[in-house]
Amino acid sequence: MSMSFERYMMDMIQPMRDDLTKLGIKELRTPEEVEAELPNAEGTSLVVINSVCGCAAGQCRPGVAEALKHDALPNHTFTVFAGQDKEATAKAREYFLPYPPSSPSIALLKDGELVHFIERHQIENRSASDIAADLTDAFDRYCR
């Protein structure tokens, strides 16, 4: 790929990254960053596998934004970008087993262990409000 194409793609993707980081969600861009954060995060951690697809834009990111207005929240929030930060995404997905790779997707970990997972097929045919309700139910269960 030419440098100008790579720059173009980065410019196109940045607003999709910003949808989550402007909410205070920490972006993990390398496997080392994932490894430094996820297994060591005490309490609960929300991890959003972001992507360029329409269901990420229309349902996943808005659903996460709505859920983060809830009164019970995870202690930590993270995101990795599938298709862009491939190695970081692969490392994060190791924590979501036995679920197969899925993007977008949303994981809730408690002390590094997966306790709730929303796969792409549970995102693409639901509204942002439905996803937010699913997340806030999980927050009520695990984050209080």
Side-chain angles (χ1 to χ4, degrees), residues 36-54:
E37 296 285 355
L38 294 191
N40 301 312
E42 292 184 15
T44 51
S45 299
L46 182 73
V47 184
V48 181
I49 304 285
N50 200 357
S51 76
V52 298
C53 72

Side-chain angles (χ1 to χ4, degrees), residues 6 17 22-23 39 55 62 70 84 92 100 108 113 116 124 128 143:
E6 288 178 22
R17 292 180 185 276
K22 72 181 179 190
L23 300 171
C55 64
H70 194 56
Q84 299 299 308
L108 185 65
E113 298 294 321
H116 189 75
E124 59 192 349
C143 301

Side-chain angles (χ1 to χ4, degrees), residues 64-132:
V64 168
E66 188 176 328
L68 290 178
K69 296 176 184 173
H70 194 56
D71 62 329
L73 295 172
N75 302 104
H76 312 276
T77 55
F78 303 108
T79 183
V80 293
F81 207 110
Q84 299 299 308
D85 300 322
K86 294 176 184 169
E87 294 83 9
T89 302
K91 181 53 78 176
R93 285 177 170 151
E94 292 177 11
Y95 293 89
F96 310 153
L97 294 174
Y99 292 96
S102 175
S103 55
S105 58
I106 308 165
L108 185 65
L109 304 162
K110 186 164 188 165
D111 297 323
E113 298 294 321
L114 184 67
V115 293
H116 189 75
F117 194 69
I118 302 173
E119 297 177 85
R120 178 190 174 103
H121 74 86
Q122 297 169 303
I123 293 171
E124 59 192 349
N125 295 315
R126 295 167 68 200
S127 70
S129 294
D130 289 341
I131 293 158

